[in-house]
Amino acid sequence: MAPSPRVRVYLACSLDGFIAGPDHDIEWLHRDHSAAGDLPHQVGSLGFESFLREVGAMLMGRGTYDVVEGLGQWPYGDLPVLVATRRPLEPVAPTVQTAEGEIGELIARAKEAAAGKDVYLDGGNLVRQALAAGLVDELTLTFIPLLLGEGLRLFDALVERNRLQFTSHASMEGGLLQVSARLLNPV
C-alpha cells in the first residue's frame, strides 16, 4: 500500500518570524542578504524546484494568491493549485481553481488533486488552521537573516502548542538557514 501524501509547508520568513511585511510586502524576500562571515553553503538544503517536484498539488490561501498573482509571473507552472476563498477569482493559470470548506475538507480535496504525491500548503492563515487541526506533516522554513519588526507573523494566534522533531538543517547561499521539522502532535 502506498504511503499517504504528506501535507507540507515550505516558507521563507524573517528571523523574527514574519512571512510578509506590512501590507503583505514580500519584496524583502528577493534581496541579496549575504554578508561577510556568513555560514558556508551546505549540501542538503531543499531548493524550491526540488520541493515542487515532490508535490502534486498546492492548497493556497486567498491572500497569498493575491500577492503571488501580483508578482507578474506565475511560479507554479502546471501544478494544480486550489485557492481557499469565498470570493470570485479570475484564475491566473488554467490549473488554478477555487475551493471552499473547512480545513479538513480543503486538505482532503488537495490530496485527491495531488494524485499520490505530497500537498504543498501555503498561506499563514491556512497553515495555522491546519496546525490546529493536526493536519500538517512537515514544516520547512528558510530563515532570512533580517529582523522585520512588523508585518504578518506565521505563528501568531496559534491556539495550541505543536510538538516538533527537527529532521534537517542547512545553511544556504545568501546567508539563509533552512530548518525542517516533522510534527509529532499531540503535545
Side-chain angles (χ1 to χ4, degrees):
M1 184 172 166
S4 177
R6 296 174 294 171
V7 175
R8 299 169 68 189
V9 174
Y10 184 95
L11 291 170
C13 64
S14 64
L15 191 57
D16 52 351
F18 291 97
I19 56 175
D23 299 321
H24 300 278
D25 169 40
I26 60 169
E27 182 273 329
W28 56 274
L29 290 170
H30 306 289
R31 290 186 191 154
D32 179 7
H33 296 282
S34 58
D38 280 339
L39 295 171
H41 177 75
Q42 294 176 299
V43 176
S45 62
L46 180 59
F48 187 64
E49 292 78 21
S50 297
F51 173 74
L52 282 182
R53 285 193 292 274
E54 297 175 5
V55 300
M58 180 177 196
L59 176 58
M60 175 185 287
R62 176 59 187 263
T64 302
Y65 174 82
D66 289 343
V67 170
V68 173
E69 180 187 33
L71 296 176
Q73 182 178 353
W74 187 243
Y76 307 111
D78 60 358
L79 182 70
V81 176
L82 302 172
V83 180
T85 186
R86 291 184 180 95
R87 296 181 282 139
L89 173 79
E90 186 66 40
V92 71
T95 56
V96 174
Q97 58 183 292
T98 61
E100 286 187 52
E102 298 297 319
I103 190 65
E105 297 169 288
L106 293 170
I107 287 178
R109 188 167 163 195
K111 283 184 175 183
E112 187 177 304
K117 293 178 86 176
D118 292 340
V119 171
Y120 175 10
L121 182 62
D122 195 8
N125 188 30
L126 280 182
V127 169
R128 287 186 294 276
Q129 287 179 50
L131 284 168
L135 297 173
V136 174
D137 297 303
E138 179 183 284
L139 290 167
T140 298
L141 300 177
T142 302
F143 291 96
I144 295 177
L146 177 70
L147 299 172
L148 282 182
E150 62 180 336
L152 301 170
R153 285 189 197 267
L154 177 58
F155 298 119
D156 274 2
L158 282 179
V159 294
E160 295 182 17
R161 293 180 181 179
N162 288 262
R163 201 164 144 240
L164 307 168
Q165 177 186 39
F166 290 118
T167 57
S168 69
H169 67 280
S171 55
M172 301 169 69
E173 290 182 35
L176 310 180
L177 179 64
Q178 188 176 78
V179 177
S180 292
R182 175 177 38 240
L183 273 81
L184 300 174
N185 289 340
V187 173

